[in-house]
Amino acid sequence: METASVLLQSRTIPFGFNLKGNQIISCRHFNKQLQSKGFYSQQSLKPIHNPSSFSLLPSPLRKTTRTQFLSPLKCSFSNISSSDSRNPLLEPFKILSFDSVKSTLSELTPIKIAKWVAIVSLGIAATKWTVNLVFNPFFWMYFSWSWLFWPWFVATALALYGLYAFRKHSIGEASIVEQLAIVTSVFTWLTLVPPAYFNGYLEGWPFVFFFVYHYFFFFNVSVRKRLYGDYYARPHDPKWDVNPPKWHRLLFCVGVMVGHWLAAFEAQELHRIPGGWSNVGMWILIVVTLLMQYNSTLYLAKYSEKVAVPTAVVQFGPYRWVRHPIYASTMLLFATYCLALRAPLSLLFVVAVCLMYYEQKAKLEEALMVETFGKSYLEYASKVRCKFIPFMY
């Protein structure tokens, strides 16, 4: 009823419609002439009792002199709603009731409430921190690589995971990824965090030594992979696990860490360290250090069982010049880092720490070598008198 009255009382209906009873209506704007067949203004409209029988169909209009550019539209009316119009997003709310909400709330416990409060609080805090950071002009004006590598929350998280991985490594359960995490966390705090802390940004040598340290200390792993096809040290005679007391090892680790932080404190600002050809000597020292470590480990592995148990006195490669070239290459690596940062006092400190520690370890190893190989090792020691540094006994 309402639909029919709206259509008939509209001022602009550019089509003709066919109602029941073969009544044909042609409707134009009211300032135009109404033309109809079988329908006049005095005729009355009867209410439509069955809306489904009502249809709007285009009917041909009387020919006029004007040209019709638009074809009439086909329309239909139906009181049946389509199932495709359902919104899937509203489906959960259809089954929502007071009883379901009440049952859900009754299942909550103080622990669950505390958990969700903590999650929501952390989400709000993280969102607020992110928004403040994004809209902070200071961040965009002074953004540098240091934001990626040394923020305290990243460095602390990496250190904690490294300690967890080291605990698993100490009981022989660390995977290769966890072993890599140990090395990465240590070298982050040796080469990246100190200069970033004292300079406020990172560039140049800290990045170089971060990757050089990785390559250097994974030489033994690469040799085991090459010889035995695995990344784990194989079982061996425990008598060759020669180490100074634990507190000596702890002091050595602390001394190396302090030496690297002193180097970052003593060094010039990173952008003031000269580049170009002035650093050719540094690159030569790095290459010499890597080759010395690689050749020493490889020659030692050739004359050893299960990597750690020697079967003969090695007298080839770097062992022709110093008796402990692996320790010497480690000292040279730390010294090269200090030289690259232009920190001579820190260099002397790190070398002194290494000499005190490796001197004790070398004495224990040489006593075991004399006990195992006797005269042959004594002859080698008399021929190669330098322990760590050539021409220094």
Side-chain angles (χ1 to χ4, degrees):
M1 178 77 178
E2 294 177 357
T3 306
S5 63
V6 168
L7 291 174
L8 293 175
Q9 294 175 13
S10 175
R11 287 181 173 270
T12 51
I13 307 178
F15 309 110
F17 302 95
N18 187 8
L19 302 178
K20 291 187 70 174
N22 296 326
Q23 296 172 338
I24 302 174
I25 305 172
S26 175
C27 300
R28 298 284 182 179
H29 199 275
F30 273 133
N31 59 4
K32 299 293 182 179
Q33 180 181 2
L34 281 173
Q35 298 175 349
S36 63
K37 178 182 179 181
F39 179 81
Y40 296 96
S41 59
Q42 66 269 20
Q43 286 181 313
S44 61
L45 291 175
K46 296 181 180 180
I48 299 175
H49 299 286
N50 187 5
S52 61
S53 64
F54 175 76
S55 64
L56 301 176
L57 297 175
S59 62
L61 298 179
R62 185 177 297 178
K63 294 183 179 179
T64 61
T65 56
R66 296 185 180 181
T67 306
Q68 299 292 337
F69 293 99
L70 297 175
S71 60
L73 298 178
K74 294 183 178 181
C75 306
S76 62
F77 173 83
S78 175
N79 61 353
I80 301 175
S81 60
S82 175
S83 60
D84 297 337
S85 61
R86 294 179 181 175
N87 191 343
L89 297 178
L90 301 179
E91 290 295 331
F93 296 96
K94 292 183 179 180
I95 60 175
L96 186 63
S97 63
F98 178 77
D99 294 335
S100 62
V101 174
K102 184 178 179 180
S103 62
T104 302
L105 293 177
S106 62
E107 294 176 357
L108 290 177
T109 61
I111 296 177
K112 289 184 178 181
I113 295 174
K115 181 183 72 172
W116 283 108
V117 169
I119 292 174
V120 172
S121 301
L122 290 175
I124 294 174
T127 304
K128 182 180 179 181
W129 180 84
T130 304
V131 171
N132 291 337
L133 183 65
V134 169
F135 291 99
N136 185 3
F138 178 84
F139 173 80
W140 298 109
M141 290 176 63
Y142 300 99
F143 179 81
S144 67
W145 282 100
S146 62
W147 287 89
L148 298 179
F149 286 98
W150 87 276
W152 286 109
F153 64 93
V154 176
T156 304
L158 187 60
L160 293 176
Y161 182 70
L163 291 174
Y164 165 76
F166 180 76
R167 186 189 68 82
K168 294 188 66 176
H169 175 71
S170 62
I171 59 178
E173 296 179 358
S175 63
I176 185 62
V177 176
E178 291 168 336
Q179 294 179 33
L180 184 61
I182 297 171
V183 178
T184 301
S185 61
V186 170
F187 298 155
T188 298
W189 282 84
L190 281 179
T191 64
L192 294 182
V193 176
Y197 176 76
F198 291 112
N199 290 269
Y201 62 94
L202 283 173
E203 65 178 10
W205 286 115
F207 290 115
V208 173
F209 280 95
F210 178 76
F211 292 105
V212 169
Y213 276 34
H214 272 80
Y215 194 58
F216 180 89
F217 285 99
F218 260 78
F219 271 142
N220 292 329
V221 178
S222 65
V223 170
R224 284 199 297 271
K225 176 67 176 176
R226 179 175 176 179
L227 293 179
Y228 304 113
D230 58 21
Y231 288 102
Y232 302 93
R234 291 178 169 241
H236 57 277
D237 190 345
K239 78 172 184 178
W240 292 100
D241 293 331
V242 178
N243 283 309
K246 287 185 178 180
W247 68 274
H248 284 191
R249 285 179 279 167
L250 179 61
L251 287 178
F252 170 71
C253 294
V254 172
V256 171
M257 179 68 74
V258 170
H260 282 74
W261 277 78
L262 287 177
F265 174 75
E266 180 188 357
Q268 304 177 21
E269 295 182 5
L270 294 177
H271 69 276
R272 295 181 179 273
I273 297 177
W277 291 101
S278 62
N279 291 316
V280 172
M282 297 296 104
W283 285 108
I284 292 176
L285 284 176
I286 290 174
V287 173
V288 170
T289 301
L290 295 179
L291 290 177
M292 187 175 182
Q293 164 77 355
Y294 182 77
N295 288 328
S296 302
T297 305
L298 189 61
Y299 276 107
L300 184 63
K302 285 183 177 180
Y303 294 91
S304 300
E305 282 184 357
K306 303 172 184 176
V307 179
V309 180
T311 57
V313 179
V314 182
Q315 305 182 34
F316 307 98
Y319 293 91
R320 291 177 292 179
W321 301 294
V322 292
R323 298 201 297 268
H324 303 277
I326 295 179
Y327 301 155
S329 63
T330 305
M331 294 169 55
L332 183 59
L333 178 67
F334 295 155
T336 305
Y337 177 80
C338 296
L339 288 174
L341 295 184
R342 275 59 172 179
L345 297 179
S346 303
L347 183 151
L348 295 176
F349 176 80
V350 171
V351 170
V353 170
C354 292
L355 284 176
M356 287 189 294
Y357 177 74
Y358 287 134
E359 178 70 24
Q360 295 181 356
K361 193 168 184 178
K363 285 182 179 179
L364 296 175
E365 290 182 354
E366 290 184 349
L368 188 57
M369 292 292 288
V370 172
E371 177 186 342
T372 304
F373 300 105
K375 185 178 179 181
S376 60
Y377 188 81
L378 292 174
E379 292 177 353
Y380 167 73
S382 63
K383 183 172 59 175
V384 180
R385 304 184 62 184
C386 305
K387 285 186 178 182
F388 310 108
I389 303 174
F391 312 109
M392 291 184 65
Y393 307 114

